Amino acid sequence: MRASVAGCRMSVGALVNGLLVSVVAALLWKYSKLSEHAALLEEELHMTQQSQEVSQARIDYHVALQALQEHGTRMVCTGKMHTDRICRFDYLCYCSEAEEFVFFHSNSSVMLPNLGSRRFQPALLDLSSVEDHNTQYFNFVELPAAALKFMPKPVFVPDITLILNRFNPDNLMHVFHDDLLPAYYTMKQYSDLDDEARLVFMEGWGEGPHFDLYRLLSSKQPLLKEQLKNFGKLMCFTKSYVGLSKMTTWYQYGFVQPQGPKANILVSGNEIRQFARALMDKMNITRVKETEKEGGSAEDEKEKEKKDDYIVVFSRSTTRLILNEAELIMALAQEFQMRVVTVSLEEQSFPSIVQVISGASMLVSMHGAQLITSLFLPRGAAVVELFPFAVNPEQYTPYKTLASLPGMDLHYISWRNTKEENTVTHPDRSWEQGGIAHLDKEEQDRIQASKEVPRHLCCRNPEWLFRIYQDTLVDIPSFLEVLKEGMKTKPSLKKAKVASMVHPGRVREPKCQTSVQTSNEAKLTVSWQIPWNLKFLKVREVKYEVWIQEQGENTYMPYILPQQNYTFSENIKPFTTYLVWVRCIFNKNLLGPFADVLTCRT
């Protein structure tokens, strides 16, 4: 009996011990899970804080991470080729250790266009507006979303971002032509790239001397590639656009063929002037409207304008100097009876320079990047570009091309130093500033004896650098002669009328009638109604272009006609089928589309 009681006590004790062990184990397991969950929450809180270091926008880290894990990256692009492609991404990531963008695949990922290996021929897109430059290509590496388990926790950037390369942020021409203008109109192209969007520069340069100009594009501080390392090893952009529009560029720098205007310029002065006004607003610069008039007679107005007119001379202090700058300023003041003011990038703030240039009647400068500021000149102003000895103005025309764009309404004049004794060369400088001491003696002698730099490719041609970094003593008589002759052809500026830039629509109701006169003679009569939009416009000159082609032949006969119908008999054969196209032309150069082709049988 005692043995059975003792055994019962032992069983109860063992049972209690077992229960205690189970309870303790359960508590320990729960504590472990709670600790693990707390650590996870702490890590998510830390990652959220890191994300908010990048942006002030709030983000639910857990939701963002879940979206990346479940849906992966999504990409939809516009453009057929890498040279005209811009892509929108959801959850595009960047690994700062590998310096690679990462596309995470899941069953919900989207990749359009899905190019396969063609994505590497040569790239998905250009990161800059400089077309097909092999240092500007963009691509990404691919991973399954499951790989996120083995990678550092991502930091999410909740801002909508525009990811691009600046081409050369140390050079003012490149800053405006390659970066600011394309970025501004890329942001206009996509409505969510607004003033709250963030720019991310991936080319690897530092801020550079003109970084404040990039800050004008957005209320948020741009991010540099080097800064991305500070926010974590893996950054994911919740929504981003990658690439830049090339529609606003007008010049190519000579990487494939010698530099010159682009073959297919798609921008006009209208778009550039809108961009200039937007930047001036950002810099708090105001100027009197170009068309604003105060009360008084026309004579009073002309006299007031004359008193207000002034000339701006760009002064350089280190290279490409005008050695007799004071004499040049005096000559300009006497010749044009105007004030002459100087501006200098080395000594003045950029907004203060723009303020001065935006009201000038003429801008005079040695060839150089500072001439890009001519886009801030008022309509009707003159741009006068000076070239050193042996540099042909016809071969270096970025500013002439800008001034000549339709709607810029600037008058361009170039002067070239033709006197070798009026130049000071610097053969002992570094090669970047035109030095040639590093070349062999024969090549140095050839360059110094040359009278004109031959056409060349970009970017380190020693003869070009040697000549373009010369200092120049401007020959005042020849300069004034060129200037006076150039000003004779300056068109009178009239207030631009919208109708003068409007293209005609299609001609309406085109018809043809035929008749056979004899076995060798026939007539073809073509008629049409005016374009629909013409009745709303006042157009100085309206003409019509008619093309006639015998079916089966490769050539056609073009005609320019003032009326809406015409009977053709010359070269019209009996019993023959002709194809006829008709379109309208406004003011000699504004072409409308052709109407649907007519098929006419004689």
Side-chain angles (χ1 to χ4, degrees):
M1 184 67 179
R2 286 178 181 176
S4 63
V5 170
C8 184
R9 286 174 180 170
M10 286 179 65
S11 298
V12 170
L15 180 62
V16 169
N17 285 338
L19 286 170
L20 285 171
V21 168
S22 298
V23 168
V24 169
L27 288 171
L28 287 172
W29 181 83
K30 190 167 185 180
Y31 174 77
S32 171
K33 287 297 180 184
L34 286 170
S35 298
E36 186 179 322
H37 185 61
L40 186 61
L41 287 174
E42 187 177 349
E43 185 179 25
E44 286 190 4
L45 179 62
H46 175 67
M47 300 310 292
T48 301
Q49 288 171 342
Q50 278 194 288
S51 295
Q52 287 173 347
E53 284 179 23
V54 183
S55 170
Q56 294 304 308
R58 299 192 64 81
I59 186 168
D60 187 322
Y61 184 85
H62 180 71
V63 170
L65 181 61
Q66 189 174 16
L68 176 60
Q69 291 169 334
E70 292 181 3
H71 302 297
T73 306
R74 283 155 288 181
M75 175 191 87
V76 178
C77 303
T78 60
K80 292 183 179 180
M81 304 292 292
H82 72 281
T83 53
D84 65 353
R85 192 171 285 140
I86 296 175
C87 295
R88 172 187 159 169
F89 288 87
D90 293 334
Y91 294 99
L92 174 69
C93 298
Y94 178 74
C95 176
S96 57
E97 282 186 327
E99 295 191 346
E100 295 275 11
F101 283 95
V102 186
F103 186 107
F104 285 104
H105 281 279
S106 77
N107 291 333
S108 301
S109 291
V110 174
M111 187 187 288
L112 286 175
N114 199 325
L115 298 171
S117 61
R118 287 175 294 158
R119 183 162 60 84
F120 310 109
Q121 300 171 0
L124 177 65
L125 54 83
D126 292 334
L127 262 181
S128 89
S129 69
V130 177
E131 187 168 308
D132 204 24
H133 194 291
N134 60 8
T135 65
Q136 308 297 315
Y137 291 155
F138 169 84
N139 240 314
F140 50 75
V141 297
E142 299 170 77
L143 284 174
L148 284 161
K149 297 175 184 176
F150 311 104
M151 300 181 73
K153 288 287 185 183
V155 173
F156 290 98
V157 181
D159 302 320
I160 298 170
T161 57
L162 176 60
I163 299 172
L164 64 133
N165 275 3
R166 298 172 298 166
F167 189 69
N168 183 358
D170 286 348
N171 181 288
L172 197 61
M173 162 68 182
H174 289 290
V175 167
F176 273 90
H177 180 268
D178 307 337
D179 303 341
L180 296 179
L181 252 169
Y184 177 81
Y185 277 107
T186 300
M187 294 172 78
K188 293 293 182 188
Q189 193 172 335
Y190 302 97
S191 59
D192 45 357
L193 283 174
D194 56 18
D195 189 55
E196 296 295 310
R198 189 181 297 276
L199 277 66
V200 180
F201 303 139
M202 295 303 301
E203 78 291 325
W205 291 62
E207 287 190 356
H210 308 295
F211 202 64
D212 281 346
L213 294 175
Y214 294 96
R215 290 189 177 101
L216 298 175
L217 295 177
S218 168
S219 61
K220 295 185 176 175
Q221 174 78 358
L223 290 177
L224 302 175
K225 179 180 179 180
E226 190 62 28
Q227 293 173 323
L228 301 185
K229 297 176 182 178
N230 301 331
F231 300 113
K233 294 180 178 179
L234 185 65
M235 290 186 72
C236 295
F237 301 94
T238 54
K239 186 175 182 180
S240 59
Y241 292 85
V242 181
L244 283 178
S245 168
K246 297 180 176 66
M247 289 189 289
T248 60
T249 58
W250 64 84
Y251 205 72
Q252 58 84 17
Y253 301 121
F255 298 115
V256 177
Q257 59 187 13
Q259 65 169 278
K262 286 176 65 175
N264 185 25
I265 296 175
L266 301 175
V267 68
S268 77
N270 177 54
E271 289 76 38
I272 291 174
R273 287 195 173 279
Q274 287 190 47
F275 160 78
R277 280 194 293 271
L279 251 60
M280 289 175 68
D281 288 344
K282 293 280 189 178
M283 291 186 280
N284 296 316
I285 296 171
T286 56
R287 67 179 174 199
V288 178
K289 291 183 181 178
E290 293 155 15
T291 57
E292 184 175 279
K293 299 288 182 184
E294 294 180 3
S297 67
E299 289 76 13
D300 291 341
E301 191 61 46
K302 284 183 181 178
E303 190 62 31
K304 181 181 182 301
E305 285 179 1
K306 191 172 181 180
K307 287 179 181 177
D308 291 342
D309 283 347
Y310 60 90
I311 297 169
V312 173
V313 174
F314 244 115
S315 181
R316 297 173 65 108
S317 61
T318 54
T319 62
R320 223 173 297 170
L321 305 180
I322 299 173
L323 296 172
N324 56 338
E325 186 178 288
E327 186 184 358
L328 177 72
I329 290 169
M330 287 289 293
L332 285 167
Q334 289 174 0
E335 179 65 33
F336 293 96
Q337 294 297 298
M338 292 186 196
R339 286 186 301 126
V340 180
V341 297
T342 61
V343 293
S344 168
L345 287 171
E346 293 92 347
E347 297 175 6
Q348 292 168 254
S349 70
F350 190 77
S352 70
I353 291 173
V354 172
Q355 177 79 69
V356 174
I357 288 175
S358 67
S361 298
M362 183 187 296
L363 176 63
V364 180
S365 173
M366 289 298 296
H367 172 81
Q370 69 280 354
L371 269 169
I372 192 63
T373 57
S374 60
L375 62 84
F376 294 103
L377 282 167
R379 296 182 191 276
V383 180
V384 184
E385 185 172 11
L386 313 182
F387 285 85
F389 178 77
V391 178
N392 186 344
E394 294 304 313
Q395 295 179 10
Y396 310 96
T397 61
Y399 313 111
K400 178 182 180 180
T401 306
L402 168 62
S404 305
L405 291 175
M408 270 316 285
D409 296 323
L410 296 175
H411 186 60
Y412 177 85
I413 300 169
S414 66
W415 173 86
R416 175 183 183 178
N417 177 25
T418 58
K419 297 182 177 182
E420 191 167 4
E421 64 270 21
N422 284 359
T423 191
V424 176
T425 61
H426 301 281
D428 296 324
R429 283 182 176 170
S430 65
W431 71 265
E432 297 97 331
Q433 293 192 347
I436 55 174
H438 64 290
L439 302 174
D440 62 56
K441 183 69 167 59
E442 184 179 351
E443 180 65 2
Q444 290 183 45
D445 291 343
R446 185 197 68 77
I447 289 174
Q448 289 179 324
S450 172
K451 305 301 180 188
E452 182 168 314
V453 178
R455 291 182 71 81
H456 57 89
L457 297 180
C458 187
C459 297
R460 297 186 176 189
N461 183 283
E463 187 171 349
W464 151 251
L465 293 170
F466 175 72
R467 290 301 183 187
I468 200 59
Y469 278 107
Q470 297 170 107
D471 299 331
T472 302
L473 185 75
V474 175
D475 180 65
I476 300 300
S478 71
F479 171 73
L480 290 179
E481 184 181 349
V482 166
L483 201 50
K484 285 187 284 188
E485 282 299 310
M487 294 300 282
K488 286 179 184 177
T489 60
K490 181 182 177 183
S492 59
L493 182 68
K494 297 177 181 177
K495 185 178 176 181
K497 295 180 180 178
V498 173
S500 67
M501 300 178 286
V502 171
H503 287 258
R506 291 173 183 268
V507 299
R508 295 173 301 138
E509 302 174 26
K511 297 175 183 175
C512 62
Q513 291 181 321
T514 61
S515 61
V516 175
Q517 307 300 305
T518 67
S519 58
N520 341 332
E521 294 180 15
K523 290 185 178 180
L524 170 62
T525 300
V526 183
S527 63
W528 56 88
Q529 298 299 313
I530 65 171
W532 172 79
N533 64 337
L534 180 55
K535 61 185 178 180
F536 301 103
L537 300 171
K538 290 182 179 179
V539 180
R540 187 179 74 255
E541 183 181 26
V542 179
K543 290 193 176 179
Y544 299 92
E545 185 174 14
V546 179
W547 292 5
I548 300 176
Q549 182 183 57
E550 185 178 334
Q551 193 171 54
E553 297 295 323
N554 293 325
T555 59
Y556 60 86
M557 297 174 288
Y559 301 87
I560 302 293
L561 305 170
Q563 67 266 42
Q564 291 165 238
N565 61 77
Y566 193 82
T567 299
F568 302 89
S569 55
E570 188 178 353
N571 298 320
I572 302 298
K573 298 183 289 190
F575 315 113
T576 304
T577 301
Y578 291 95
L579 305 178
V580 180
W581 295 265
V582 185
R583 67 176 170 184
C584 185
I585 306 173
F586 288 171
N587 302 331
K588 296 182 181 179
N589 61 354
L590 296 170
L591 305 177
F594 280 109
D596 293 339
V597 62
L598 298 173
T599 303
C600 312
R601 174 79 177 171
T602 57

